[in-house]
Amino acid sequence: MGQLYAVEIVYRGIFQKTLAKNISRAIVLAAHREGKPGISFGRYGDSPERNGIPAKSFAIVATDEQTLEEGMAKYEPKEVDVTICVDDTLCKGVESWAWYGLQPINRLLKPGGTLVVTSKEEPPVLIGMIHQKDVPYRLAIVKGTPSFSGLWVYKDDHTDVRLLGTLSKVLPDLFSLMSLQEVIKEEWDDPVKASSALRAYERVNPVVVPPGQGNAETPYQFTLPKWTEMPEGIAIPAIPLGHAMKDGGNGHSGGFRPERNPTFKKYTTRTMRPVVDFDLCVKCTLCWLQCPDSCFDVTPDGLYDAAMEACCGCGVCEAVCPEAGCITMVNETRFQDNASQWQAWRKDPQEYKRWVRETIADRPDRSHGFRYRGQYQEQLPEMLTIAREG
Ligand code: SF4
Ligand code: SF4
């Protein structure tokens, strides 16, 4: 039996699909140059992809055909040598479309395997978000703003080749930098991309994360029904009507909370979340009407509180809110919990105001699609400077 190598690429549906495909394809091409057969594929369970929903691609490579065949007999790898995470907010975990609860980003990593993350953050910040593991692993950061694009456009900011250059360093048995350079020439014929891969190769500096370090929370999970428990036919019960808020304060219930899917939580499906300045709200109802995920609880005092278990971070509420500064989308790396903002505002309005000011002033770059024509062209020079100079 030969050696089998597995790499998973965890990405945000649609926005990073082409990026993930470019990486997994180039892995197989580079390994092939060294006589190692391989295959790349997307995980079926992630379809249909939806904007921002976590999804996965895999690249499986072996030292010989028979080992590859044996490896491919599995539906998807149970363990991987390297996890590539192309959006640092996924360090909080991965809940895929119709999947089975929250998977820690490092869940499939073998002992001593490497988690590679694109981020502007330092290791302690990322480790604080990543769930603890009972075996050591390595964390390597590829510096830069996580790369997002759309269905029909691709932001060629060299994130693809920088990650590939990093991979050739952290798992040299998979493919060498020289093989990668040949693939870059063949696929892109761009010497600047080749030098970006080289820089990433030279710069990568993984840290070892010892067992028990990181986020101690137990990841959210639920039990799938057994086949004997499934009802006949294909009727799916609709989500029931909502109900009054039970925790509405003021000693009375009041307010309204829409019913939500009890199993599909969207804590990790967003790269940014809305921060609401309740003092500026004019109660126009637009956010409540337009939110595609029915996130907003109507509070007893007629305000609108976005429930973080339902918010996918689309930014529609910010776009429709008529009051400047009332709703501001902020990068998800900024937050440590999913608590109600309205409850915090009621408890201490002054302190809440201070928190809002601080939070919306220091919002790391938005990393969610592109918001106006020409935005990629504006972002590219910065990313290419980072690729060149660090
Ligand atoms: S970002 Fe706003 S509109 Fe979008 S899901 Fe979250 S609360 Fe709803
Ligand atoms: S859209 Fe803005 S102003 Fe209107 S209800 Fe929502 S938060 Fe308030």
Side-chain angles (χ1 to χ4, degrees), residues 218-238:
T218 305
Y220 164 73
Q221 56 187 313
F222 58 90
T223 309
L224 288 168
K226 299 187 174 50
W227 69 270
T228 50
E229 296 161 3
M230 289 188 185
E232 286 180 21
I234 56 165
I236 298 170

Side-chain angles (χ1 to χ4, degrees), residues 108-127:
L108 297 190
L109 268 187
K110 289 176 184 171
T114 309
L115 170 62
V116 180
V117 185
T118 55
S119 181
K120 281 185 152 177
E121 304 291 347
E122 296 298 324
V125 175
L126 297 187
I127 293 169

Side-chain angles (χ1 to χ4, degrees), residues 274 287 290-293 295-296 306 310-318 329:
C287 55
Q290 299 296 331
C291 172
D293 286 64
C295 292
F296 285 94
C311 172
C312 66
C314 67
V316 165
C317 51
E318 180 195 54
M329 298 302 293

Side-chain angles (χ1 to χ4, degrees), residues 24-164:
S24 57
R25 176 179 154 80
I27 290 171
V28 173
L29 292 175
H32 192 251
R33 293 197 162 256
E34 299 176 5
K36 287 175 275 217
I39 184 165
S40 68
F41 57 96
R43 185 167 72 177
Y44 175 73
D46 294 325
S47 298
E49 280 190 22
R50 203 185 135 184
N51 286 356
I53 300 287
K56 288 189 183 189
S57 281
F58 293 95
I60 312 294
V61 168
T63 44
D64 59 272
E65 291 285 353
Q66 196 189 338
T67 306
L68 178 66
E69 236 171 76
E70 284 169 17
M72 285 309 301
K74 295 173 200 155
Y75 176 61
E76 68 174 56
K78 294 273 182 291
E79 57 177 19
V80 296
D81 299 276
V82 175
T83 294
I84 295 177
C85 170
V86 285
D87 174 19
D88 55 4
T89 59
L90 285 165
C91 287
K92 292 189 172 188
V94 180
E95 190 180 2
S96 310
W97 177 271
W99 210 238
Y100 39 65
L102 186 76
Q103 281 190 7
I105 188 71
N106 55 8
R107 177 167 171 241
L108 297 190
L109 268 187
K110 289 176 184 171
T114 309
L115 170 62
V116 180
V117 185
T118 55
S119 181
K120 281 185 152 177
E121 304 291 347
E122 296 298 324
V125 175
L126 297 187
I127 293 169
M129 295 196 279
I130 300 168
H131 291 84
Q132 293 179 356
K133 210 168 160 65
D134 55 10
V135 293
Y137 66 96
R138 299 191 303 166
L139 170 66
I141 297 175
V142 174
K143 280 279 169 196
T145 306
S147 180
F148 277 71
S149 50
L151 191 57
W152 311 115
V153 285
Y154 183 59
K155 184 161 67 172
D156 195 6
D157 56 10
H158 296 197
T159 295
D160 41 19
V161 293
R162 295 179 73 214
L163 285 163
L164 288 160

